[in-house]
Amino acid sequence: MYMMALLVGGLFAMAVYCLLRRNLLKLVFGFLILSHAVNLLIFTAGGLTRNAPPIAPSEAKFLAAPYADPLPQALILTAIVINFGVFAFLLALVDKARRKTGTDDSDAMKGSDA
Amino acid sequence: MNTLLVLPVIVPIGAAAFIWLFNSRPRIQHALVLLTVAATLAVACLILRQTAAGDVHSTQIGHWPAPYGITFIVDGFSTLMLLISTLIGGMAALFSIGDTADRRHAGYFPLFFILLGGVNGAFLTGDLFNLYVWFEVLLMASFVLMALGGQRTQIEGAVKYVMLNLAGSTLLLAGIGIIYGLTGTLNMADLAAKLAGVSNAGRVNAAAMLLLAAFCIKSAIFPFFFWLPASYHTPPPAVAALFAGLLTKVGIYALVRMFTLVFVADTAATFKLLRILAGLTMVSGVLGALIQKDMRRLFAFLIVSEIGFVLMGIGFRTERALTGTIFFLMHMAVVKSTLFLMTGVIEHWKGTVRLDRLGSLFEDHPAFGYLFLGPVFALAGLPPLSGFWGKYVLVQAGLIEKYYLLVGVALAVSLTTLWVVARIWMEAFWRPACAPKRRADAPLGLLRIGPIVVLAAVTFLLGLWAEPFHAQALQAAGQLLHPSAYMQAVLGGP
């Protein structure tokens, strides 16, 4: 549990560092790491239960108490799929931006501020 | 199962698939667009008929009982937002049929309706994770709509818009994860019941602040509003009108829903924060608008300023204040989309929307001038137009609760808005033309002027015949503050 918390915190720190860079590609990778950090956060916050799949034995009517909650994993799966699509779009957008503006420095993108 | 409740999502998204099939046949495509607009408006009106008397209706998707499955629910507030979003979406779609400029691309109309479906889904859902999913649906569609066309300013605006909104979505997801860890549920009504029993107030507040930051980013509230004026003026006018009318409103809707239904334990701290943010949002928006030369950027800054007024009503947290918030929300959505569509017409005539190059609009197009007068002065809150009633109720609510400083700021901001609006009027409409006409007057066409007239008429209606709208808003505010009917509709029982 503590290891997971540390890992999530570390990933968040890395992601924020990348997001604060001026380079657009670093921004995209920052977003990628951030989404992983959040997925792990959901996984950890949902409670870690080891070695207890949520499958009721055939003779039992109900699931016995210690079992892993499957819902966080379903949420994470949804989030991964969404983030995959978003990430693909971001890569295309950044590539287009680099071609149109001739730079990947977000400080130089002031064309829409005039 | 009440099928009507899922139709506002299914109709636009289903229609998007059909519209996509007829990309190479523009006439069939346009007919389908008209049909979809009519169908979504009809569905919204049917839902209004069900909830106008103050009922709350819900449906459980796939018959999964409440806290386990996904709930769709309409109360007064979501009905009004649904009605406004379908009206604005429909009018912007009609405008873009008329806008025959070279900016149209194959995916335009399908994305347009997917965006509308996502917005409606966010208004209808009663499940927090489902809310996140609808946010992503509408964001994905809006990303592409924003970048479609690929001009340099558009791409630059899109980069800023996309990155900040994605950061917002990720914060939302993190908040959802923590809330699930605390309560083991994501159904909003169930959350409201279960969060009351959570003893760890610190963690609840942490999750609440993550959600607040996420919704602040999405609705362009004070420290996070920079993406909006950097991007809203870049896409075509119909898209800008759709964004201006809908996107920030979804964020505000989610904020209202979460902070009236779910996070009601520690109101003293959170609502003070909301009031502070409201004041700062108002002031920074109007100060930004004061120095803009580009009319669209100016209106974008005024959106930020108006969002401050809406947030102020949420921060007061009384029935009267929430009534003002809901009324103001309807007013600003309609007015802002009208104005963004009107800048499209001005650009068509004059080739620019920069205030320092415009002039003599009133002399050249007097009818349009009168039409422009309504929304633009409603924006400044001049009686008897729609903005006045919203601000009147909000200010009254603030005075009753004795928030004199914030009310004073709001009145000063209102006055400054009037100054900004008067400047638009003098520079663009009254001043003699400073540049020769760039283009011959091509005919505008009914499909471009029609939606503007309809939306402007709604503005006048909201102002001159405010009573029924105010009554609906009052009822919706009552439902928000006393959510027992909402919770009963979702969870059943007494």
Side-chain angles (χ1 to χ4, degrees):
Chain A
M1 200 78 167
Y2 287 106
M3 287 303 290
M4 287 297 283
L6 278 176
L7 178 65
V8 171
L11 282 176
F12 263 107
M14 276 167 69
V16 171
Y17 176 72
C18 282
L19 283 175
L20 292 176
R21 300 284 292 268
R22 274 158 45 188
N23 186 313
L24 279 187
L25 201 61
K26 299 255 165 59
L27 221 67
V28 176
F29 283 116
F31 168 72
L32 191 66
I33 298 171
L34 190 65
S35 59
H36 288 327
V38 170
N39 287 343
L40 284 178
L41 174 77
I42 298 175
F43 187 56
T44 316
L48 300 178
T49 317
R50 301 185 74 173
N51 262 340
I55 301 169
S58 54
E59 65 273 18
K61 269 197 170 158
F62 299 101
L63 208 48
Y67 60 91
D69 187 355
L71 193 75
Q73 296 166 36
L75 300 183
I76 293 169
L77 192 60
T78 315
I80 288 175
V81 173
I82 291 175
N83 283 329
F84 173 73
V86 170
F87 184 64
F89 174 76
L90 264 183
L91 280 178
L93 181 71
V94 166
D95 180 53
K96 183 98 178 171
R98 194 184 51 79
R99 279 186 216 184
K100 281 277 171 183
T101 60
T103 173
D104 57 1
D105 182 353
S106 55
D107 259 13
M109 297 205 164
K110 298 232 162 90
S112 64
D113 288 342
Chain B
M1 188 168 153
N2 192 344
T3 321
L4 187 61
L5 294 196
V6 292
L7 285 183
V9 177
I10 292 189
V11 170
I13 292 184
F18 279 102
I19 289 169
W20 176 258
L21 290 178
F22 294 100
N23 269 327
S24 50
R25 313 274 297 274
R27 296 186 72 170
I28 300 179
Q29 195 180 35
H30 291 168
L32 276 175
V33 169
L34 285 176
L35 202 68
T36 316
V37 168
T40 47
L41 271 173
V43 168
C45 289
L46 282 178
I47 289 181
L48 176 69
R49 224 182 61 179
Q50 283 202 355
T51 61
D55 301 334
V56 181
H57 291 274
S58 73
T59 186
Q60 317 289 351
I61 308 287
H63 289 294
W64 286 89
Y68 306 111
I70 290 168
T71 309
F72 266 34
I73 179 160
V74 282
D75 61 353
F77 187 33
S78 24
T79 309
L80 289 175
M81 297 313 290
L82 210 60
L83 208 59
I84 292 291
S85 73
T86 39
L87 176 74
I88 289 172
M91 291 307 126
L94 295 191
F95 187 91
S96 34
I97 295 181
D99 200 1
T100 46
D102 46 333
R103 308 152 154 157
R104 203 93 70 58
H105 293 260
Y108 182 84
F109 280 116
L111 284 165
F112 203 94
F113 284 112
I114 289 173
L115 175 64
L116 197 60
V119 170
N120 288 348
F123 288 147
L124 283 170
T125 185
D127 183 277
L128 198 52
F129 192 78
N130 200 231
L131 181 73
Y132 162 77
V133 173
W134 288 123
F135 264 124
E136 290 296 317
V137 169
L138 72 93
L139 278 181
M140 247 349 234
S142 72
F143 292 163
V144 185
L145 278 177
M146 169 95 52
L148 213 59
Q151 290 164 353
R152 184 181 164 161
T153 52
Q154 259 183 306
I155 295 291
E156 287 186 5
V159 168
K160 296 165 193 172
Y161 172 78
V162 168
M163 285 319 297
L164 270 164
N165 274 292
L166 281 183
S169 296
T170 327
L171 288 182
L172 176 61
L173 195 56
I176 290 173
I178 292 177
I179 290 176
Y180 182 77
L182 283 173
T183 60
T185 181
L186 288 170
N187 185 298
M188 289 183 203
D190 200 31
L191 270 178
K194 288 213 171 118
L195 267 181
V198 174
S199 54
N200 197 337
R203 270 198 232 169
V204 177
N205 271 354
M209 288 306 111
L210 277 174
L211 258 58
L212 178 67
F215 297 143
C216 281
I217 291 177
K218 286 181 198 303
S219 47
I221 288 166
F222 170 64
F224 308 116
F225 65 85
F226 296 99
W227 59 268
L228 194 149
S231 58
Y232 268 27
H233 60 294
T234 56
V239 175
L242 188 72
F243 286 10
L246 300 185
L247 292 192
T248 47
K249 313 308 170 285
V250 185
I252 284 284
Y253 169 85
L255 191 80
V256 171
R257 186 61 85 201
M258 290 314 286
F259 280 82
T260 54
L261 180 69
V262 179
F263 299 118
V264 288
D266 192 6
T267 48
T270 44
F271 282 80
K272 186 170 184 197
L273 181 65
L274 287 183
R275 287 193 295 273
I276 295 171
L277 289 179
L280 290 170
T281 310
M282 277 187 242
V283 172
S284 40
V286 83
L287 288 184
L290 214 51
I291 55 162
Q292 294 308 317
K293 293 259 185 274
D294 184 303
M295 213 191 260
R296 284 199 195 122
R297 265 177 80 80
L298 193 154
F299 287 139
F301 270 106
L302 284 183
I303 295 181
V304 176
S305 167
E306 304 249 287
I307 286 285
F309 278 89
V310 174
L311 194 62
M312 178 173 84
I314 305 171
F316 291 156
R317 199 166 180 272
T318 60
E319 192 169 19
R320 191 189 298 271
L322 279 177
T323 310
T325 294
I326 295 169
F327 191 89
F328 201 81
L329 214 50
M330 294 194 282
H331 140 79
M332 78 175 276
V334 176
V335 162
K336 279 284 147 46
S337 334
T338 323
L339 287 174
F340 271 96
L341 289 184
M342 281 173 158
T343 58
V345 173
I346 294 176
E347 194 178 23
H348 168 83
W349 278 327
K350 299 283 183 185
T352 177
V353 287
R354 286 186 67 87
L355 285 178
D356 47 356
R357 293 193 206 128
L358 282 171
S360 78
L361 263 172
F362 195 73
E363 195 186 328
D364 299 346
H365 310 280
F368 181 76
Y370 284 117
L371 204 61
F372 192 78
L373 207 60
V376 88
F377 280 97
L379 196 62
L382 234 62
L385 296 162
S386 54
F388 170 73
W389 297 114
K391 282 182 185 171
Y392 176 75
V393 178
L394 284 173
V395 164
Q396 200 185 20
L399 289 179
I400 289 175
E401 296 293 305
K402 301 198 175 59
Y403 296 116
Y404 297 120
L405 179 65
L406 188 51
V407 169
V409 170
L411 290 176
V413 167
S414 244
L415 212 60
T416 321
T417 312
L418 183 62
W419 180 18
V420 172
V421 163
R423 215 188 87 216
I424 300 175
W425 190 253
M426 292 197 340
E427 293 195 7
F429 282 79
W430 272 354
R431 188 177 56 185
C434 43
K437 270 189 195 169
R438 269 188 39 183
R439 306 181 192 182
D441 280 2
L444 257 182
L446 183 67
L447 275 170
R448 262 193 287 187
I449 211 72
I452 293 179
V453 172
V454 170
L455 286 176
V458 172
T459 318
F460 279 111
L461 195 70
L462 273 173
L464 299 175
W465 197 45
E467 180 55 35
F469 299 99
H470 181 265
Q472 284 294 324
L474 184 68
Q475 184 180 304
Q479 285 172 348
L480 284 175
L481 278 182
H482 310 288
S484 55
Y486 184 96
M487 290 172 67
Q488 195 188 343
V490 179
L491 300 172

